[in-house]
Amino acid sequence: MNHTMHGIIFSYGKPTGLGDLIAHRIPGSMPFGGNYRVVDFMLSSMVNAGIHDVGVIMHGKCQSMLDHLGNGRSWDLSRNRGGLTLLPAFAYAESRTSAGRFRGKVEALGCVLEYLREIRQEYVVLADSDLVINLPLEQVLQEHIASGADLTEVCTAEPGDPSDTYLEMDEQGRIVDVAYDVHTPAGYRCLNVCILRRELLVQLVEECMAHNRYSFRHHILQDQKDRLHLHAYVWQGYAARIDTVQTYYRRSMELLDPAQRRLLFDPRRPILAKENDAPPAYLDPAGVCENSLIADGCDIQGSVKNCILFRGVRVEKGAQVENCVLFKGTVVKKDATLRCVIADKAVTIREGRTLIGDESYPVVVARNATV
């Protein structure tokens, strides 16, 4: 295909139900699946579609994201021209409230308007960083062009939260209604991934900024659905938005099912992640490891069942860990018992300690804590 795309990823702080898990990070840099961060999935989808230039709009607690992305080499985006561009809006907090949150995506785009004007590619993909998906963006672009639409939104038939955006469409796939914050959601749930021409994007942002309009779904999707031709691309594969502790835990546990892993990790579109130089995981002959995803550098001497362990986790002798997600560097001391626990980075569980949650309300242990 001769048409080219440019990627824009929104990766900044916003209200979520992730609690302590985003005390030191923004949602897109959440660890997921043992070896990845959530942003890796959308970034890989872009790279697999031949996108060579990606801008990441960041604000808030973005140090973790900056450390993870670096110069983009892990995703083949370290280039002399273009490649990965990090777009932190350092002056934004001074011009708004002390919290410094963007009121909406259009406002975020307005802060990098000069960057948008310099984009070389014909089309732009806008996407959130907190979506776990392996999306064939080249197919989305093909359908967008064939439909003659001004803007194409990716959506799914799977239900979600009432606060999500829902789309109604006609038989040709044209979006005829956009709703959100409704008591009874109807239609297709928007995944907040869209494609449009660069010229149109710049025009829409300029118009909205001139009239103090800041919300993409309200001031563009809702207000201009009759003026613009909006098209829906229905995605029938795996898609998970990581926005609450319960969602994070449930979606993590899903990956222990091989069928679910196959839906997400399509070998035709590999998910790329930051390089890892840790040694292989070690399983003591007297230890137990069942139905778990274990990253490099782990040391398992106790019992681990139905768990996801990130790099460098240590489970000492006599410890029992079941249905847990343990982030990098977590240490479970001798004879401790964990069930349905999410332990953030560098947590230490004391010897003989017992922590038991349930699938609906997992116990969350904050980063660097000793409990």
Side-chain angles (χ1 to χ4, degrees), residues 292-367:
S292 297
L293 299 179
I294 308 298
D296 291 343
C298 290
D299 180 0
I300 301 174
Q301 301 180 39
S303 174
V304 173
K305 298 179 180 179
N306 304 319
C307 291
I308 298 177
L309 307 188
F310 288 81
R311 182 159 48 100
V313 171
R314 187 169 84 248
V315 180
E316 295 185 354
K317 291 183 181 296
Q320 298 183 37
V321 183
E322 187 173 346
N323 299 329
C324 293
V325 182
L326 307 183
F327 288 8
K328 177 182 175 181
T330 294
V331 177
V332 184
K333 295 287 190 177
K334 181 180 178 182
D335 297 327
T337 299
L338 304 184
R339 290 191 181 92
C340 298
V341 171
I342 303 173
D344 207 329
K345 182 179 178 181
V347 163
T348 299
I349 308 297
R350 291 191 179 99
E351 183 174 331
R353 187 75 160 87
T354 297
L355 288 177
I356 298 180
D358 61 47
E359 294 181 358
S360 299
Y361 295 97
V363 174
V364 176
V365 184
R367 182 175 180 176

Side-chain angles (χ1 to χ4, degrees), residues 204-218:
L204 291 172
V205 173
E206 288 176 340
E207 289 177 358
C208 287
M209 294 299 288
H211 295 87
N212 193 30
R213 297 169 183 160
Y214 51 84
S215 170
F216 195 88
R217 66 179 179 178
H218 175 51

Side-chain angles (χ1 to χ4, degrees), residues 6-7 28-29 39 101 118 148 179 181 183 216 243 281 308 328 335:
H6 187 106
S29 63
V39 71
R101 287 197 182 105
E118 297 298 321
D181 290 333
H183 181 69
F216 195 88
D243 55 3
I308 298 177
K328 177 182 175 181
D335 297 327

Side-chain angles (χ1 to χ4, degrees), residues 35 68 71-76 272-278 311:
N35 287 303
H68 178 67
N71 63 3
R73 184 183 65 179
S74 300
W75 300 268
D76 193 28
L272 308 173
K274 187 176 180 179
E275 290 89 348
N276 175 13
D277 297 328
R311 182 159 48 100

Side-chain angles (χ1 to χ4, degrees), residues 108-168:
L109 291 167
C111 288
V112 296
L113 188 53
E114 290 304 316
Y115 175 84
L116 301 181
R117 290 174 177 145
E118 297 298 321
I119 288 176
R120 299 174 291 155
Q121 290 80 9
E122 183 178 5
Y123 293 92
V124 179
V125 180
L126 304 177
D128 287 344
S129 66
D130 60 355
L131 179 65
V132 177
I133 193 171
N134 192 341
L135 186 63
L137 283 169
E138 70 282 0
Q139 293 182 20
V140 182
L141 177 62
Q142 290 173 12
E143 184 168 316
H144 171 73
I145 294 172
S147 70
D150 295 306
L151 182 152
T152 292
E153 276 282 353
V154 179
C155 60
T156 176
E158 292 187 6
D161 192 88
S163 64
D164 290 337
T165 305
Y166 290 86
L167 310 175
E168 296 277 0

